[in-house]
Amino acid sequence: MTTWTPAGRKRPAGGPARRFAAPAVLALCGLSSACGSAWAQGDAEAGEAVFIAANCQSCHTDYANDGALLAGGRALKTPFGTFYSPNITPDPKTGIGNWSDEDFRRALIHGRAPDGARYYPVFPYTSYSGMTDQDVADLKAYIFSLPPVEKANRPHDLKWPFSWRWVMAPWQWLFFHPERFAPDPERDDLVNRGAYLVDTLGHCGECHTPRNRFGVLKDDMHLAGQEEGPEGGIVPNITPDPETGIGNWSDNDITWLLITGFLPDGDNVQGGMGEVVEHSTSRLTDTDRQAIAAYLNSLPPIVHQVGPPRETGDTDTGGGGDEFDY
Amino acid sequence: MFVLGRRTAGAVIAGAVMMAGLSVAGAADEPANIIKYRQNVMKANGGHISAIAAIAKGDVSFMDQAEDHARAMAATAGDILPLFPEGSDTGADHRSLPAIWTDWAGFEKAAKAYEDAMPALVEAAASGDRAALGGALRDVGQACKGCHDDFREDK
């Protein structure tokens, strides 16, 4: 039996021992609850898989202006104003080259900057907070193996009061309660892996789940789609409701979309989802794509029509009264 | 004196007649009808793509029909540009972006890239090799997406 690991890969030999048989470190860490990463040694190669599944590059690379990988500056328009993603290359001056492992872990898991400031949830730490310490450590090792790029961050251009970063303190206090991902023993390994890929790393819900007026994802509408997505457009319901969601899709239809970007009707996805496919899901392993499909199809179906109903195949020929009847 | 081969001359004349016919169609038809027509042409592409995809994925084993779908797409791949005459942006719901008309050269390029992806699709379909077909289909998908990204509104 293979055991499920959050990253879906074989642990390097000696991994578990290295992680758990370190009483001295544990003893020290006992003093500080924020010490969890001290025994997780990063492996850059494994980190690349995490990086792909978490799609860090889409937001942190300014593709529209041929920006360098992870050098930031990409504009992210939201109802609160425009955010410009920061440089997260290992450049010590303008990137995160001086960050400790703990700084990095705190950013992803707790949404806090090294100086304690709170991040806006447009950086989806709200999802990433479920990541395992090992994945965080591997991810950092990978990012720090990439070329540093010197490029100063551009300040966000936000509407008041969101321009006050401190409003994120009460927001986090009220709405953000980091919770590590825990596999559900009732579900099989593949579905658990899919849950980790969809809800934690892939942060699919950041687009596919509607939000309340505080910008908080509605738990009872998990992945049920929304009319006003992050880019203003429609984000479809991807729960397995046959009428309003993707209940009529086979697992094969889902994995095919994740590889090629083609929908079952032969159209292709574009916009945010086009990027997800290009930078992330098309580069996952087959098993991981199957895990995503298995998890999506295991969800409770939610009836929620987003945008116009899917066409049944009737074709509007236009014109006057001389339409074909077929 | 140069002499045109009879077939070439025929093709030139037929081509000229077709072009004239098309530009007349573009000018005289109701914009709403042109929009619906082009959407149906696009949907037909989608239909062929999903049929080929089902074969490439192994959902169905009609490999002997893959080439027919590919050829149908190849045959109409050159038809896209006339479906977007100036002024065909009102009268019906549509997702065509103004960039089509402000950057017509870019639009032509996207249409050309799509046409150029066709021979490989036909070849892969004829080969009967599922993996090759899947690969060619992905390339065609990039060409569809290449145009949609720049010239079709996001959902």
Side-chain angles (χ1 to χ4, degrees):
Chain A
M1 247 268 357
T2 54
T3 48
W4 180 85
T5 60
R9 61 191 148 81
K10 295 231 164 50
R11 293 275 168 217
R18 185 187 66 205
R19 289 193 300 136
F20 297 117
V25 178
L26 278 174
L28 283 173
C29 284
L31 303 173
S32 143
S33 63
C35 201
S37 65
W39 66 82
Q41 289 282 316
D43 168 9
E45 208 179 307
E48 183 177 13
V50 180
F51 179 79
I52 289 170
N55 197 8
C56 313
Q57 60 170 311
S58 269
C59 287
H60 283 280
T61 308
D62 189 10
Y63 289 102
N65 300 305
D66 294 324
L69 184 69
L70 297 189
R74 172 172 184 169
L76 299 159
K77 294 207 177 75
T78 74
F80 312 106
T82 302
F83 292 89
Y84 294 94
S85 59
N87 180 342
I88 59 164
T89 70
D91 179 56
K93 230 166 75 195
T94 58
I96 60 171
N98 286 330
W99 284 31
S100 68
D101 291 357
E102 188 46 37
D103 290 339
F104 187 78
R105 200 185 77 97
R106 224 156 65 114
L108 284 159
I109 306 288
H110 296 284
R112 304 282 295 266
D115 67 1
R118 323 265 171 163
Y119 289 123
Y120 295 98
V122 57
F123 166 27
Y125 59 81
T126 37
S127 295
Y128 296 147
S129 60
M131 277 170 76
T132 63
D133 285 338
Q134 186 67 51
D135 278 1
V136 174
D138 293 347
L139 178 59
K140 175 166 186 273
Y142 177 68
I143 289 179
F144 275 62
S145 76
L146 296 172
V149 178
E150 195 177 324
K151 180 168 179 247
N153 288 335
R154 176 167 176 183
H156 305 316
D157 184 6
L158 304 180
K159 294 180 196 150
W160 182 86
F162 308 106
S163 45
W164 283 337
R165 187 175 282 278
W166 60 259
V167 300
M168 281 302 114
W171 187 91
Q172 283 194 350
W173 185 72
L174 284 169
F175 303 119
F176 174 55
H177 311 288
E179 218 177 287
R180 292 316 184 81
F181 177 82
D184 176 350
E186 304 274 292
R187 302 186 297 209
D188 67 26
D189 285 355
L190 194 70
V191 174
N192 272 319
R193 171 73 184 154
Y196 184 68
L197 285 165
V198 167
D199 294 332
T200 302
L201 295 184
H203 60 280
C204 314
E206 301 282 343
C207 293
H208 283 279
T209 303
R211 294 171 190 273
N212 69 15
R213 64 201 164 95
F214 300 109
V216 180
L217 300 180
K218 294 183 185 162
D219 270 349
D220 57 342
M221 292 292 280
H222 182 51
L223 300 177
Q226 53 173 338
E227 301 273 345
E228 286 278 314
E231 292 150 320
I234 290 169
V235 190
N237 178 349
I238 55 170
T239 74
D241 178 56
E243 297 286 323
T244 63
I246 60 170
N248 287 331
W249 295 33
S250 65
D251 283 7
N252 242 355
D253 288 334
I254 297 175
T255 52
W256 178 251
L257 165 72
L258 299 176
I259 301 172
T260 63
F262 277 129
L263 295 161
D265 68 3
D267 201 347
N268 66 288
V269 291
Q270 62 186 80
M273 192 63 201
E275 291 188 51
V276 169
V277 171
E278 183 177 342
H279 301 305
S280 180
T281 61
S282 66
R283 301 169 61 199
L284 296 172
T285 61
D286 283 337
T287 317
D288 275 355
R289 281 187 290 259
Q290 281 154 11
I292 291 177
Y295 173 63
L296 291 180
N297 273 333
S298 79
L299 290 168
I302 299 177
V303 181
H304 184 226
Q305 183 62 52
V306 181
R310 198 174 282 285
E311 291 189 24
T312 53
D314 296 346
T315 307
D316 182 355
T317 53
D322 53 350
E323 287 181 27
F324 294 122
D325 217 358
Y326 51 31
Chain B
M1 251 205 69
F2 76 40
V3 184
L4 280 180
R6 209 184 321 161
R7 280 178 60 190
T8 319
V12 167
I13 293 168
V17 170
M18 270 169 61
M19 292 301 288
L22 282 172
S23 54
V24 168
D29 293 346
E30 293 281 340
N33 290 345
I34 296 176
I35 290 171
K36 284 173 194 159
Y37 177 83
R38 74 177 172 231
Q39 289 173 340
N40 286 331
V41 171
M42 285 290 166
K43 275 192 266 194
N45 281 329
H48 287 300
I49 289 272
S50 56
I52 300 174
I55 297 168
K57 278 187 283 181
D59 291 345
V60 295
S61 48
F62 299 118
M63 183 53 93
D64 56 328
Q65 300 188 0
E67 190 183 345
D68 296 339
H69 292 294
R71 288 201 182 279
M73 291 180 64
T76 51
D79 294 350
I80 293 185
L81 294 175
L83 307 181
F84 295 87
E86 288 267 4
S88 64
D89 57 352
T90 56
D93 284 346
H94 70 85
R95 288 166 69 195
S96 291
L97 287 174
I100 294 172
W101 297 283
T102 54
D103 178 21
W104 184 256
F107 191 62
E108 276 179 333
K109 220 166 118 197
K112 175 85 170 43
Y114 169 63
E115 233 185 306
D116 289 349
M118 283 300 140
L121 181 69
V122 173
E123 195 181 316
S127 78
D129 180 58
R130 264 179 45 196
L133 187 56
L137 205 50
R138 283 182 76 165
D139 293 342
V140 170
Q142 289 305 312
C144 310
K145 180 171 180 288
C147 185
H148 291 161
D149 278 351
D150 292 340
F151 300 104
R152 180 173 73 162
E153 202 176 336
D154 290 351
K155 272 198 184 135

